[in-house]
Amino acid sequence: MAVDEREALLRVAWERALEWALALVIGMALAWAITLTARQPPGQPIQLLPPPTPPPLVVHVACAVMAPGVYALPPGSRVADAIQAAGGMAPEAAGEALNLAAPLEDGQYVCVPFRGTPTADPANHAPPAAQRLNINTADEAQLEALPGIGPTLARRIVAYRETHGPFATVDDLLAVSGIGPTLLDKLRPWITTGTTP
């Protein structure tokens, strides 16, 4: 057999071997895809990995609830779910002031106001002077219902009042650590000292 004929036969054999190898790879890939598809319900996309589980929402529920505290709730929970986790509203709660259907966010602070505590209305109008919270007589829970006041600042206001006596004016709140001019401006429409608005 001539050298050229031998080379031609080798080339043909090599090409056929490549074709068989390629066909084998394609066949294995198709078999793998068919196996995955057979495990999925009809009409469902193939999922190689399970979807990640979203983390729980951690919220602080306080003020007029039966068991104030920090609670972990499933994603998609609402304000009503947070209050339910905290044992429900206390008898003296003003639950109508809250939007119970509002969705929760991670790290949110939910304060159920007490009856008699001023709260913002949907138009964000401040209450009249007669309904403003007296910072000289309010307890910590009532103070927490004010905008921008959490448990820490409420404790500081009560402690300052007990140490230094009643506030003469609303501006005296600036002496409480953590209350600056910006927060005071936010509080001003909602509070009174009992003698000055």
Side-chain angles (χ1 to χ4, degrees), residues 19-36:
E19 289 173 359
W20 277 104
L22 183 60
L24 181 62
V25 170
I26 293 174
M28 291 176 63
L30 286 173
W32 181 69
I34 291 170
T35 301
L36 287 178

Side-chain angles (χ1 to χ4, degrees), residues 29-89:
L30 286 173
W32 181 69
I34 291 170
T35 301
L36 287 178
T37 304
R39 294 178 183 174
Q40 296 291 326
Q44 294 294 321
I46 295 174
Q47 294 183 352
L48 300 181
L49 295 174
T53 303
L57 300 175
V58 179
V59 296
H60 181 190
V61 190
C63 304
V65 291
M66 300 302 291
V70 176
Y71 296 91
L73 299 171
S77 296
R78 308 283 176 157
V79 169
D81 300 319
I83 294 172
Q84 186 65 33
M89 295 186 190

Side-chain angles (χ1 to χ4, degrees), residues 4 26 64 86 91 95 163-164:
D4 291 340
I26 293 174
T163 303
H164 299 90

